[in-house]
Amino acid sequence: MSAFRFSSRPVDLAVLRAELADPACGGFAAFEGWVRNLNEGRTVQRLEYEAYEALALREGARIIAEARQRFDVPHILCVHRVGELQIGELAVWVGVSAPHRDEAFRACRFVIDEVKHRVPIWKKEHYLDGDSGWVNCERCAADAAPAHQHHSHSR
Amino acid sequence: MSAPIHGLVLTGGRSRRMQRDKAALEYGGQPQLTRAMELIAPFVARSFISIRGDQQGEVQRAAYEGIVDVLPDLGPLGGIHAALHAQPQVAWLVLACDLPFLDAATLQQLIAERDPSSIVTAFRSSFDGKPEPLCAIWEPQAVAAVDAWIAGGSNCPRSLLSQGAVRLLTLRNPRALDNINTAGEYLAARGTLAPGARAGDAGSISLRVQYFAALRDQAGRSEETVATEARTPRELYEILRQRHGLKLRPEQLRVAINDDFADWNRPLCAGDSVVFLPPVAGG
């Protein structure tokens, strides 16, 4: 199975962790991104993730290959949710196992940062007041702000 | 020393838009294939036609030596691939079958300004400035680039020429490479070839466009097939932006063609699948 994947249902973290088990690895680092109830001062009720999967899988696999090479770590896994999510749910999970903790931490940080910047995934927030909007798109379109602001809940 | 040149006239196209065999279309009473073979003969040591496996024995084509596609369904690049492998010591003067305005002086210019150290010598399109791969000299050393391009999953020769070591020439006769794809253009060209008439319009190509997230909401659809004269994603986005009232500006977007990131100025080919990517927000 590919090291970068999507899931339309909640994921079983024990299963993902088991995939990274390796007797030669003494360090494991993971990052979990959770759905937050507040973004830019507005109360968020729920959100939807949408992906351009054909390209996202390709770019996600490239990021993981880069991280493996750059930090010389043997095992990396990243799962991103798509579809409708509630507050508190896990939106993205990155796990890395390596002989030592330092490269595991660094590779994990690299993967989540690159995924947020490069992989074609979009998030639509539904607010308490009934309004909704695509994150990073609505305001930019309205007031001609720069395109690449990467504000998000899991920062 | 530069390699000897053989001629390759491409006749393997399925002419989906024309819905009839381009090779048999007549201009001035002569089938286009006959015209192309006669035009190329003085400039090459030998000439061949490029054909699909199922075209062997077809009457008009049987009059010429054929090189059969090795890899099916790759379009013109499949024909070029087969020729480069069939005769690895020669350079190929490759000619599409749908260039009714092509003249001997243009071929003369191509031969005279050939750069044998490049992989391809080609003209810049007078329509969009991009390389024209189907009236060009493909050197023996192009085989590596062609193989790699096909292995990478692409069969668009124009895009290949946008990347490699290509010698680009400016057309002295700017209308020489106008091509014919639809029946309407065919009829217009027949009129044009009468003395004193004007050149026909440039062709339109069919593309698949997919919309995601904010752009899908704005366009009111998740995909569509577009017939367009746009030749780059930049031109295409401007057209779609006006047609659907899209609010995102091009500088906010990225482009994907055939499921991988692409440049805004990459030449579009018929059948390409194009996506404009709104600012991403994963994680």
Side-chain angles (χ1 to χ4, degrees), chain B residues 104-126:
Chain B
T106 299
L107 291 181
Q108 181 72 59
Q109 183 192 352
L110 183 63
I111 303 274
E113 298 181 22
R114 170 192 180 193
D115 176 1
S117 70
S118 66
I119 62 166
V120 177
T121 300
F123 289 107
R124 250 182 229 102
S125 164
S126 51

Side-chain angles (χ1 to χ4, degrees), chain A residues 85-116:
Chain A
L85 276 76
Q86 306 299 321
I87 303 302
E89 273 198 90
L90 181 140
V92 60
W93 188 86
V94 180
V96 180
S97 62
H100 305 288
R101 68 183 181 283
D102 187 47
E103 59 265 32
F105 275 124
R106 287 160 62 206
C108 186
R109 173 71 193 245
F110 174 86
V111 169
I112 185 61
D113 287 351
E114 295 298 305
V115 165
K116 288 171 68 98

Side-chain angles (χ1 to χ4, degrees), chain A residues 48-119:
Chain A
E48 289 166 48
Y49 280 107
E50 172 180 340
Y52 171 14
E53 291 206 15
L55 177 55
L57 292 172
R58 193 177 260 193
E59 187 70 356
R62 281 195 280 241
I63 290 169
I64 287 178
E66 285 170 33
R68 276 208 190 103
Q69 195 183 19
R70 196 162 165 162
F71 303 100
D72 196 21
V73 297
H75 307 292
I76 304 179
L77 196 53
C78 178
V79 182
H80 204 293
R81 286 286 309 273
V82 287
E84 195 156 307
L85 276 76
Q86 306 299 321
I87 303 302
E89 273 198 90
L90 181 140
V92 60
W93 188 86
V94 180
V96 180
S97 62
H100 305 288
R101 68 183 181 283
D102 187 47
E103 59 265 32
F105 275 124
R106 287 160 62 206
C108 186
R109 173 71 193 245
F110 174 86
V111 169
I112 185 61
D113 287 351
E114 295 298 305
V115 165
K116 288 171 68 98
H117 284 70
R118 288 165 51 184
V119 178

Side-chain angles (χ1 to χ4, degrees), chain A residues 49-50 52 54-55 58-59 62 80 116-124 134 136-137 140 144-145 147 153-154, chain B residues 210-214 216-218 247-249 251-252 254 256 258-261 275 277-283:
Chain A
Y49 280 107
E50 172 180 340
Y52 171 14
L55 177 55
R58 193 177 260 193
E59 187 70 356
R62 281 195 280 241
H80 204 293
K116 288 171 68 98
H117 284 70
R118 288 165 51 184
V119 178
I121 301 169
W122 299 277
K123 178 165 60 176
K124 188 176 200 173
W134 291 100
N136 292 350
C137 292
C140 299
H153 64 274
S154 56
Chain B
Q210 283 177 275
Y211 299 95
F212 289 94
R216 188 192 50 235
D217 288 357
Q218 291 168 18
K247 295 186 195 73
L248 294 171
R249 290 165 290 109
E251 56 270 28
Q252 296 177 269
R254 293 186 72 185
N258 301 332
D259 296 337
D260 209 345
F261 294 112
V275 181
L277 307 166
V280 303

